[in-house]
Amino acid sequence: MKDVKNYTLKDLKELLQKQGFSNFSAQQVFDWIYRKNVESFDSMSNLSKEIRGFLKENFCFSKVKLSKQEVSVDGTKKFLFTLEDESSIETVVIPKKDRNTLCLSTQVGCKFNCSFCLSGQSGFKRNLKVSEIINQYLEAGKLIAPESITNIVFMGIGEPLDNFVNLIKSIQVLTETKGINFSKRRISISTCGLIPEIEKLIDLKLGVKLSISLHSVDSKKRTKLMPINRRYPLEELIKAARSFSRKEKHLITFEYALLRGYNTSKQDAQALARILRGMRYKVNLISLNCLDAGYKSPDQAELDSFRKELKRAGVFFTLRESRGSDINAACGQLRASGLNK
């Protein structure tokens, strides 16, 4: 049987209509699951016996099992969840001032083999179902209660846009006004740069934000870091980003991992300024949390020099502090430690 959480409200309405039930029944189901936190069709007391019987015979409620939890000195919480097929995924909650940002995984493993990331080192296994993505949100919410999740980033294990259909349905479930009603403006999708899927996002006009892993604007350097650059070259990716920014009216975020002696020169800063000129953007400078791939973070002098040159070139940037380094909070680290045992 399929988990009922795999269905958007529209999907559930259509399904129940085909069985001769009313549209309103689907809204009631969403209310029970996502507002009342009920996981039993028998408990949905305002539904008819016939509908409850149909739901019980055809649908179920799956869960993700918490296998390990780690809490950093900075408050970052990392959860290792086990799925029904015994695969494992990671979910992270990052607190900061008045917000709790939830970092969701979308795949078991990853196909794209970025050289500084552990997510794909054990290979790609499968896409997550909609219910498995939603279950991360629901379980993490319970685990941090009475605090609540204020922001969501699809930036955990896997490439979100490579699981496009389930990603979009998950966002539709999360933002459904009859259910969770999460704000679209507080959701961000991170991608290594799948141009066809970015173009699909533009057409859908979801209202969510987009974050692109950039890490270098030198094509050869970027290809070494991110092999996807061969299939979808940087120049074309920037065109797609400009188009997204124009249609969605959001700043595009460009993630830029700081790698000592690799992408932090004066020339790198000037090239970054040139390629982003005229776009509504911000650059998110990242101190690496995982150094297992042979890369190192720049020392303070190198960092200060790069930041100074970015300012001089007019680049709008923020420096994202490393979070959860004491608990293996970078993507794939906690999962990798379990797989390597």
Side-chain angles (χ1 to χ4, degrees):
M1 288 194 290
K2 288 187 176 181
D3 189 328
V4 70
K5 296 188 292 294
N6 282 312
Y7 294 83
T8 65
L9 181 58
K10 180 183 177 184
D11 291 338
L12 196 56
K13 281 181 177 179
E14 290 176 354
L15 189 148
L16 291 178
Q17 265 190 320
K18 287 179 182 177
Q19 300 299 318
F21 302 122
S22 71
N23 271 342
F24 187 60
S25 301
Q27 292 184 25
Q28 290 173 307
V29 172
F30 257 59
D31 181 70
W32 280 108
I33 297 172
Y34 298 116
R35 293 189 175 181
K36 296 185 174 75
N37 300 313
V38 166
E39 295 186 344
S40 164
F41 295 119
D42 284 329
S43 299
M44 299 180 182
S45 55
N46 58 354
L47 293 174
S48 70
K49 263 188 177 180
E50 290 75 18
I51 295 177
R52 279 181 280 167
F54 171 77
L55 292 170
K56 283 174 64 177
E57 288 174 9
N58 292 277
F59 302 104
C60 64
F61 291 93
S62 69
K63 287 181 176 290
V64 290
K65 177 186 174 184
L66 181 64
S67 299
K68 190 172 184 179
Q69 175 178 346
E70 295 188 351
V71 182
S72 169
V73 293
D74 64 23
T76 299
K77 297 178 178 68
K78 187 156 196 177
F79 310 116
L80 185 68
F81 289 126
T82 301
L83 308 177
E84 291 186 325
D85 65 355
E86 300 303 316
S87 298
S88 58
I89 54 171
E90 298 171 4
T91 307
V92 182
V93 176
I94 305 168
K96 188 175 182 180
K97 293 182 181 177
D98 58 348
R99 67 172 62 184
N100 283 302
T101 299
L102 177 66
C103 183
L104 291 173
S105 293
T106 52
Q107 296 180 315
V108 180
C110 185
K111 301 173 184 176
F112 296 94
N113 295 314
C114 296
S115 62
F116 51 85
C117 179
L118 285 176
S119 292
Q121 287 195 7
S122 59
F124 172 77
K125 186 170 182 181
R126 66 175 177 86
N127 287 326
L128 293 187
K129 303 170 189 174
V130 176
S131 56
E132 291 169 329
I133 297 172
I134 297 301
N135 281 339
Q136 290 175 73
Y137 169 84
L138 296 174
E139 290 302 314
K142 293 174 186 175
L143 289 164
I144 69 166
E147 295 184 61
S148 58
I149 295 161
T150 62
N151 296 72
I152 293 173
V153 291
F154 288 94
M155 197 185 283
I157 291 175
E159 162 56 50
L161 294 186
D162 191 47
N163 187 10
F164 191 83
V165 172
N166 290 347
L167 170 72
I168 299 307
K169 289 196 173 210
S170 298
I171 291 171
Q172 290 170 338
V173 171
L174 288 165
T175 58
E176 173 54 56
T177 57
K178 304 297 183 182
I180 295 169
N181 196 23
F182 204 91
S183 171
K184 295 176 182 178
R185 297 186 65 83
R186 291 180 175 268
I187 296 176
S188 180
I189 300 168
S190 178
T191 179
C192 64
L194 306 190
I195 294 173
E197 283 69 31
I198 292 174
E199 291 171 345
K200 290 178 186 176
L201 278 179
I202 294 169
D203 292 337
L204 286 173
K205 298 179 182 178
L206 284 179
V208 300
K209 297 177 181 178
L210 184 66
S211 175
I212 295 176
S213 295
L214 191 59
H215 309 312
S216 177
V217 293
D218 178 289
S219 189
K220 287 183 180 178
K221 287 183 179 180
R222 188 170 189 268
T223 298
K224 182 179 177 182
L225 295 172
M226 307 177 69
I228 191 67
N229 195 62
R230 293 191 187 96
R231 192 192 311 175
Y232 300 122
L234 180 61
E235 184 178 341
E236 298 302 313
L237 177 59
I238 294 299
K239 286 181 184 177
R242 288 183 187 278
S243 181
F244 183 92
S245 182
R246 284 195 299 269
K247 293 290 178 68
E248 286 289 0
K249 310 300 182 185
H250 289 312
L251 291 179
I252 294 273
T253 297
F254 290 98
E255 306 288 348
Y256 197 96
L258 299 164
L259 308 174
R260 185 187 300 180
Y262 192 83
N263 62 355
T264 55
S265 69
K266 178 179 179 179
Q267 292 74 24
D268 289 317
Q270 291 171 345
L272 185 58
R274 283 195 300 272
I275 203 167
L276 299 182
R277 192 166 291 136
M279 194 188 314
R280 298 176 69 250
Y281 73 90
K282 74 172 180 178
V283 175
N284 200 1
L285 302 179
I286 305 166
S287 293
L288 278 186
N289 209 348
C290 171
L291 307 180
D292 293 342
Y295 298 102
K296 295 182 178 180
S297 296
D299 59 26
Q300 194 60 48
E302 185 178 345
L303 174 59
D304 290 344
S305 175
F306 186 59
R307 292 169 68 184
K308 183 178 179 180
E309 194 58 42
L310 288 176
K311 287 180 181 178
R312 184 180 296 152
V315 175
F316 175 48
F317 69 90
T318 57
L319 178 63
R320 190 173 85 193
E321 61 190 56
S322 180
R323 303 295 299 272
S325 58
D326 57 315
I327 60 164
N328 294 318
C331 291
Q333 282 186 314
L334 186 58
R335 178 173 179 264
S337 67
L339 291 172
N340 290 334
K341 287 180 180 177

